[in-house]
Amino acid sequence: MNNVETAVERHYWRAVTFLVILILAGAGFWGLRRFAPVVFLGKPDLIAVPHDEHPQNRAKPTLNKPALLNINTASTEELQTLPNIGEATAQRIVDYRTQHGDFDGVDAIQNVKGIGAKTLEKLRPFVDAK
């Protein structure tokens, strides 16, 4: 009976060790997805990054800071990386741009159906019309 108890105890500790390793691996994977989402999004050049205009942020070096997304040249895929812009709205932006020409400024994007003042304020840190 002693061999059976020893074998059960050995398998028990192997199972506990396996579960601990599994939990640690899952926590590491979660942390990677949470704090490095670029790894899971595919093309990092299509990710919109907000533009901070606070004085304390200007003092910091801005090496490798991505440029703002130009709404006059952006494709539908690039426009979909912006907040509150889905496939249909991105297509409407491109269609409006095709019919009416380039946007004069970021505020002109409000002429597109479905983009109001609230959406414009959410987009403003990410876009430019130059």
Side-chain angles (χ1 to χ4, degrees):
M1 201 64 162
N2 196 12
N3 276 343
V4 172
E5 290 175 5
T6 306
V8 168
E9 185 176 341
R10 187 173 61 241
H11 289 298
Y12 170 80
W13 285 111
R14 284 183 181 170
V16 167
T17 304
F18 174 75
L19 289 175
V20 167
I21 291 171
L22 193 63
I23 290 169
L24 290 175
F29 182 72
W30 175 85
L32 184 63
R33 286 196 60 187
R34 174 71 174 94
F35 298 109
V38 168
V39 174
F40 297 92
L41 292 178
K43 297 182 178 180
D45 57 330
L46 295 180
I47 298 172
V49 177
H51 177 65
D52 295 329
E53 294 189 12
H54 300 296
Q56 70 265 15
N57 292 340
R58 284 190 212 143
K60 297 177 186 175
T62 57
L63 300 175
N64 297 330
K65 186 169 184 177
L68 298 176
L69 185 64
N70 187 335
I71 56 176
N72 290 322
T73 60
S75 67
T76 55
E77 291 84 15
E78 291 171 326
L79 289 168
Q80 289 178 46
T81 64
L82 296 170
N84 293 7
I85 301 295
E87 186 177 344
T89 308
Q91 188 60 50
R92 283 196 300 267
I93 293 170
V94 172
D95 292 343
Y96 183 90
R97 192 173 63 205
T98 304
Q99 293 172 358
H100 299 95
D102 287 349
F103 295 100
D104 294 332
V106 175
D107 292 338
I109 201 168
Q110 287 187 36
N111 297 333
V112 176
K113 181 183 175 188
I115 298 181
K118 289 182 180 180
T119 304
L120 174 64
E121 290 309 311
K122 291 178 184 175
L123 295 176
R124 192 178 298 280
F126 300 99
V127 298
D128 194 9
K130 294 179 183 176

